[in-house]
């Protein structure tokens, strides 16, 4: 399955509110994503993760949130 298109769209969608928060001096500690998106990112970034690096996108740690749908995200302070 080609995940780059919908993951890219989701990250574009998350980028605007993340930028607004940063401009307001708020720096979220976590980007919560659905299990489907999280699992896809783990597969894409497995080499970095194998070396002990955290899963980070848009400068924010990524965590799995099973309550979110594939097209949703949440930013955590």
């Amino acid at each position: 399955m080609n995940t780059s298109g919908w993951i890219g769209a989701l990250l574009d969608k998350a980028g605007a509110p993340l930028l607004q928060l940063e401009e307001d001096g708020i720096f979220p500690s976590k980007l919560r994503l659905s299990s489907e998106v999280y699992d896809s990112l783990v597969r894409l970034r497995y080499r970095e993760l194998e070396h002990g690096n955290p899963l980070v996108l848009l400068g924010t740690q990524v965590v799995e949130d099973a309550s979110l749908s594939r097209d949703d995200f949440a930013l955590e302070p």
Side-chain angles (χ1 to χ4, degrees):
M1 173 198 305
N2 180 355
T3 58
S4 61
W6 58 268
I7 288 178
L10 179 62
L11 294 178
D12 284 345
K13 186 174 152 182
L18 185 59
L19 178 60
Q20 183 60 56
L21 287 170
E22 289 179 359
E23 287 175 351
D24 293 340
I26 301 168
F27 299 91
S29 63
K30 294 183 180 143
L31 172 61
R32 295 183 355 223
L33 299 172
S34 71
S35 296
E36 181 179 0
V37 175
Y38 182 84
D39 291 343
S40 294
L41 290 171
V42 166
R43 284 191 303 275
L44 291 169
R45 308 284 288 278
Y46 74 93
R47 287 189 182 132
E48 296 169 45
L49 298 170
E50 284 179 345
H51 287 96
N53 296 313
L55 184 55
V56 175
L57 290 171
L58 303 173
T60 308
Q61 181 182 2
V62 176
V63 295
E64 181 178 13
D65 185 337
S67 71
L68 295 172
S69 73
R70 177 178 121 162
D71 297 323
D72 292 326
F73 67 93
L75 295 166
E76 199 172 300

